[in-house]
Structures are given as C-alpha cells and as structure tokens.
Amino acid sequence: MHIDSRPDLLNYSRAQLVELLAQWGQPAFRAKQIYRQLHVNLAASPEEMTDLPKSLRDRLAAETRIGSLVCSAVHEGDGGLTRKALFKLADGSPVESVLMVYPDRATVCVSSQSGCPMACVFCATGKLGFLHDLTPGQIVEQVYWAARLLRAPSFDIHRLTNAVFMGMGEPFNNYANWRAAVDILHDPDGFNMGARSFTVSTVGLVPGIRKLAEDELPINLAISLHAPEDDLRTAMMPVNKRYPIRDLLSAVRDYTEKTGRRVSFEYVLLQEKNDSPDQADLLGRLLRESGIRTTLMHVNLIPWNPVPGTPLGRSHRRRVLAFQEGLHAHGIPCTVRVERGVEIGAACGQLAGTS
Ligand code: SAH
C-alpha cells in the first residue's frame, strides 16, 4: 500500500501555516494567501491558487496535500435536498457526512471519528466499533465538501448555515481534534462560521460537557439521553455505567448555569422499550427535578431509524405524539425531529459506511 505522508494543509492553523512558510523562506503574506485559498476559496489543489508563483504551487503540490479523505460515493435523497458522502481513510475505514438543504438554511452533519467506541445498541455506527480518530483537517474537509456542493446553481441557498457534529463517532472522545476543527471553521479570516452555527452532540461524556462549559465560544450542546432511568439507559448505552444519569444531568445543569445557553436532549424512540406514557412522565419529572431551568432545555424526539440486524422497532406515530404530550404536560419544550435521508441510510444512527 502506498502511504501518502505529505502533511494535510487543512490541519494547519493560521499561525502554523505562517510557520511552515517561514521555514520555506517565504514571506508571511504568502501564508495569508494560501490560507485564504484554502478556507475562503476552498481550493482543492495548489493549481487553483493562481495568485501564487508557479514554483510555490509546485512545492505545495510536492510536499503537502489538501485533505486526506477519498470520496467513494455520494448518494442523493429527498429529491436532491439531502446528500450523503461516503469517504475512506487511507486504510479504507469509512467516514460519512450528510448535507441537508432547507429553504432558509443548510446543515452539514459531520463525523468526528471513523466508527465509534461507545457501542450504543441501537446505533449502526456503534456496530462498527472504533476505527480512528479524525484529524482536525479531516473534520474540516467534510464541511468543505458540503460547502462546495452548495455552490451548485440548483440550490436556493449557497451558504452553509449550520454544522452539527452528529455523524459517526463521539466528538468528546476526540475532543482536541474536534475543537481544533471548530477553531479553523470559525476563524473570521478563514471559513468564518459563527460559533452559534455549531452543535456538538455527546453520548454523555461528563468531562467533555464540563470542558465545553468553560469554552469561550458559544457552541451549542446536545445530549443523547434516550432513557429516563439508569437500568434502561445502561442496557441501551454502555457509557451510562461510567456516567449515570444523575452525574450527567448535574454536569448539564452546571453547563446551563455557567453559559446561560439552552441545551437539547435527544431521545430516540424505540417501540415498547422507552416510549411508554409512563416513561414520558418519568422523563418529564427527571428533567424538571434536574435543576436545569425548563427555559434552558429542549427535548428532541427521534423515532428510531432501522439498523439492519438490530431487533428493535421504531415507535408508532401515535406513541411518539403521546410521548411528546407527556413531556408537554410537564412544561418541557419538545419537538419531533423531521427526518432526512432515511432512504439513503443517511438518517440519525444509520451511518455505517456500507454504501
Ligand atoms: N456520539 C454522539 C454523536 C452522534 S449524534 C452522540 O451520541 O450524541 C447521533 C444521534 O443519533 C445520537 O443522538 C444518537 O443516539 C442517535 N441515534 C443513534 N442511532 C439511531 C437510530 N438508529 N435512529 C435514530 N437515532 C439514532
């Protein structure tokens, strides 16, 4: 196997790029030009950087690369408004990203790892196990894939408005790389995405939640809760043994107090497992008694999406609506997630790198 050991320019912060170019004996403005080409023009190769001398373009091409993911397929769903990309790492490990286009916004759902170590029983990515942490550049590259697609005249909106870290993997299990990617995407001199355009979703890693609470960037937080009591949550999500519901909710409470920002709780609905009216009532009580202000929380119900070979069922519509009612009875804001990409295996929990 040929290994491409050239460093990926998408991993470089602005300062690191200046440093690299200084080592090459180039003035700082060259670094600035390259940075703009990478993060504003979204150049995919040095050839596109026509404001650089040919010799520098050649050196970049020989000694560096832009991106390290290989796109092996793009699938279209929802009449072209949802696109799923399947990328491969050098060893063939899968990475998936999903672009969802709406009339007034466009969201990319990005992976933070290839595979996932968290082993939630209802999730397709969990079945793969952990394969790799993605580098900052590999996370950024997925966002740029979506941003480049959006340039097509067929879309009504041409700018990416949101990036959600809800693809493969557990972002807080790859915290430093995930956070470095956000810095690159957020840089006003680069891609310039607003901090509030980012949402990170966690399985419930308490140290990550506490770390994000200290972050000066107002990144949105979502928590995969999925059950109102520990036995059931542990059966669904092994991570609950390490961070049981009480510890999780107390970290979330501290986060909301510290930041004043609203969190969302994701709750995947599994027929006859966690979707009864009693469980809705239990969840309502749990959240009300968590010490988190109800104005700072929101529950997002996700009817379970089928995962091949998994003997679980998707809650019937009636039960979903009854569950929502049950939470509303406790005064808890709650919506049902509008699904995208189910028919192309691009919906929540379906990313398994198979097609
Ligand atoms: N590891 C992070 C990021 C993944 S986000 C986390 O757990 O939050 C993906 C969301 O989809 C999570 O809330 C996850 O629990 C949920 N999910 C997983 N499998 C699903 C499925 N088959 N159907 C619907 N949602 C699912």
Side-chain angles (χ1 to χ4, degrees):
M1 190 172 65
H2 169 73
I3 306 265
D4 188 343
S5 56
R6 295 173 301 167
D8 179 359
L9 289 178
L10 295 181
N11 276 319
Y12 286 61
S13 68
R14 211 153 19 115
Q16 289 168 332
L17 199 59
V18 170
E19 200 182 300
L20 176 75
L21 271 289
Q23 283 167 15
W24 288 9
Q26 294 283 340
F29 77 91
R30 291 292 181 209
K32 204 169 163 183
Q33 281 176 307
I34 296 169
Y35 192 80
R36 266 192 76 79
Q37 286 287 2
L38 292 171
H39 301 287
V40 180
N41 300 348
L42 309 186
S45 83
E47 280 153 60
E48 296 173 34
M49 305 185 180
T50 48
D51 53 345
L52 301 182
K54 172 97 172 53
S55 56
L56 182 53
R57 277 184 273 156
D58 288 346
R59 182 155 188 199
L60 285 170
E63 297 181 30
T64 68
R65 57 180 168 164
I66 302 173
S68 62
L69 300 176
V70 177
C71 184
S72 60
V74 177
H75 297 279
E76 269 190 47
D78 305 309
L81 296 177
T82 302
R83 310 276 174 108
K84 178 178 85 163
L86 173 59
F87 299 100
K88 302 273 191 213
L89 301 179
D91 69 351
S93 301
V95 173
E96 285 178 298
S97 322
V98 183
L99 170 66
M100 292 160 282
V101 183
Y102 304 88
D104 57 337
R105 65 196 161 92
T107 299
V108 64
C109 178
V110 177
S111 298
S112 52
Q113 297 177 317
S114 173
C116 183
M118 307 316 300
C120 300
V121 299
F122 48 86
C123 179
T125 310
K127 305 254 177 297
L128 290 177
F130 173 73
L131 298 167
H132 292 281
D133 278 332
L134 298 187
T135 63
Q138 288 164 341
I139 297 172
V140 166
E141 190 176 352
Q142 296 171 67
V143 175
Y144 291 179
W145 161 77
R148 287 192 191 107
L149 265 190
L150 272 179
R151 291 171 165 177
S154 57
F155 290 116
D156 293 334
I157 180 163
H158 299 290
R159 199 176 54 87
L160 210 50
T161 54
N162 300 84
V164 301
F165 300 95
M166 299 187 179
M168 284 183 172
E170 167 52 40
F172 288 174
N173 198 244
N174 186 21
Y175 199 105
N177 287 358
W178 162 71
R179 191 57 188 79
V182 169
D183 266 337
I184 293 171
L185 295 168
H186 172 61
D187 186 351
D189 291 327
F191 194 63
N192 192 24
M193 264 191 119
R196 284 173 198 281
S197 336
F198 301 111
T199 300
V200 64
S201 179
T202 179
V203 73
L205 296 184
V206 165
I209 296 169
R210 297 206 177 278
K211 204 159 165 181
L212 191 68
E214 302 297 326
D215 202 305
E216 84 249 13
L217 274 194
I219 299 165
N220 297 306
L221 174 64
I223 295 107
S224 294
L225 188 55
H226 305 329
E229 41 92 17
D230 279 320
D231 286 351
L232 178 60
R233 193 167 189 270
T234 300
M236 293 168 62
M237 309 170 73
V239 71
N240 195 64
K241 274 181 259 159
R242 227 185 331 151
Y243 302 112
I245 294 174
R246 190 167 25 94
D247 299 356
L248 172 58
L249 291 183
S250 101
V252 175
R253 185 198 54 224
D254 293 349
Y255 171 92
T256 56
E257 273 173 19
K258 175 101 212 286
T259 64
R261 290 200 298 274
R262 196 167 78 148
V263 296
S264 40
F265 291 104
E266 293 151 294
Y267 194 100
V268 60
L269 284 166
L270 294 160
Q271 179 75 12
E272 310 276 338
K273 288 267 189 266
N274 66 350
D275 68 343
S276 75
D278 283 350
Q279 286 162 321
D281 187 54
L282 211 56
L283 179 64
R285 223 174 297 182
L286 178 75
L287 292 178
R288 246 192 12 207
E289 289 164 9
S290 65
I292 306 166
R293 282 189 280 150
T294 50
T295 51
L296 291 183
M297 64 166 87
H298 175 264
V299 175
N300 208 213
L301 299 176
I302 317 172
W304 182 70
N305 295 308
V307 174
T310 304
L312 294 166
R314 179 181 173 98
S315 296
H316 296 311
R317 188 77 192 159
R318 253 178 300 116
R319 283 176 82 87
V320 174
L321 296 177
F323 200 92
Q324 185 183 23
E325 273 306 295
L327 287 173
H328 281 162
H330 284 278
I332 293 170
C334 171
T335 51
V336 180
R337 181 169 291 177
V338 178
E339 294 285 14
R340 278 293 186 92
V342 180
E343 84 271 30
I344 53 169
C348 307
Q350 292 188 311
L351 304 183
T354 41
S355 63

